[in-house]
Amino acid sequence: FSDGSAIVCVRGTKTYFDFLVDARLWYAASLFQLVQSAVPFGFAFDALIDFCVNRLSELEASSVKKVSYYVETTAFVNYLQKSGKYTTVSITGHSLGGGLALITGAQTQTLAIAISAPSAVMGRSAVTPEISLEDIKQRSYSVIPQRDIISHLGGEHMNSAGIKCRAGANDFFACHYAYRSLCELMYTCGNVKRPVYCECVSMGYPEPTSIDGSGTSLEFSCEVI
């Protein structure tokens, strides 16, 4: 960017192989979360659950590292930081890509902002080098849409903001859709003169209007695209 900063963007799962590789980082935490939710007064076993997840994650850490993408994202961010070309480096991502961003942010002491991402809290022992709760607390921020299941995997996020999801209650995965979350952020926080996505209107958001009457209409712009 013109101010000398750099942002690394990590996409979410695209292929079945991506899913298998990324899921290994969170399967232990997800498994124990499922068990905890099925047991009466499961919240009373938080300490035991955390211990079991950490031990299982430690056993898996070396094999997970051989195939996990976080190794590449962390190495890339380290390279950018050491290059001296950028004043600041930050990382962001969506879904499991956001989970990788949270891990890399904690490992490299870089600001990480994730959307609809699983937490790195419960599985922090599954990565090498291991990350601490303090690393996660100081360097991560998560955007969590309503009714998004993926955002609740891996434990509670230490820093987060919830956003609305305007999709129908019966549309199971709609709240995890990246464009829907970006539209909600634009309509809630403002678009800072950036064009609003054409998909936003089709998702039920009102058509944006120009403040000063200049520029092309959304209808014309989306037809051109």
Side-chain angles (χ1 to χ4, degrees), residues 52-99:
C52 292
V53 171
N54 285 337
R55 296 292 80 77
L56 183 57
S57 297
E58 287 173 356
L59 292 174
E60 288 284 320
S62 59
S63 60
V64 167
K65 182 180 179 181
K66 295 177 182 178
V67 296
S68 290
Y69 294 135
Y70 79 84
V71 178
E72 303 298 328
T73 55
T74 295
F76 184 59
V77 170
N78 279 328
Y79 166 77
L80 294 179
Q81 290 176 325
K82 293 177 181 178
S83 69
K85 296 180 180 179
Y86 307 100
T87 55
T88 59
V89 178
S90 54
I91 185 168
T92 186
H94 171 260
S95 189
L96 292 176

Side-chain angles (χ1 to χ4, degrees), residues 37-197:
S37 64
V39 176
F41 303 104
F43 61 87
F45 300 96
D46 283 350
L48 177 61
I49 294 294
D50 189 54
F51 174 81
C52 292
V53 171
N54 285 337
R55 296 292 80 77
L56 183 57
S57 297
E58 287 173 356
L59 292 174
E60 288 284 320
S62 59
S63 60
V64 167
K65 182 180 179 181
K66 295 177 182 178
V67 296
S68 290
Y69 294 135
Y70 79 84
V71 178
E72 303 298 328
T73 55
T74 295
F76 184 59
V77 170
N78 279 328
Y79 166 77
L80 294 179
Q81 290 176 325
K82 293 177 181 178
S83 69
K85 296 180 180 179
Y86 307 100
T87 55
T88 59
V89 178
S90 54
I91 185 168
T92 186
H94 171 260
S95 189
L96 292 176
L100 296 176
L102 294 177
I103 292 171
T104 290
Q107 287 185 327
T108 61
Q109 300 297 297
T110 301
L111 174 63
I113 299 178
I115 300 176
S116 299
S119 171
V121 170
M122 292 180 71
R124 61 189 182 277
S125 297
V127 299
T128 307
E130 185 176 333
I131 55 180
S132 68
L133 290 176
E134 188 64 22
D135 292 331
I136 298 172
K137 181 179 180 180
Q138 293 295 327
R139 300 294 177 177
S140 69
Y141 199 87
S142 299
V143 177
I144 304 176
Q146 288 177 324
R147 305 194 307 277
D148 178 33
I149 296 177
I150 302 299
S151 299
H152 296 282
L153 297 179
E156 185 175 354
H157 293 267
M158 304 196 76
N159 302 298
S160 64
I163 60 173
K164 294 180 179 179
C165 176
R166 307 190 190 193
N170 295 326
D171 200 342
F172 193 65
F173 288 105
C175 294
H176 188 66
Y177 186 43
Y179 273 114
R180 185 178 294 280
S181 295
L182 291 175
C183 290
E184 183 64 33
L185 288 171
M186 281 187 166
Y187 276 82
T188 302
C189 304
N191 62 335
V192 196
K193 297 184 179 180
R194 294 180 177 88
V196 173
Y197 297 114

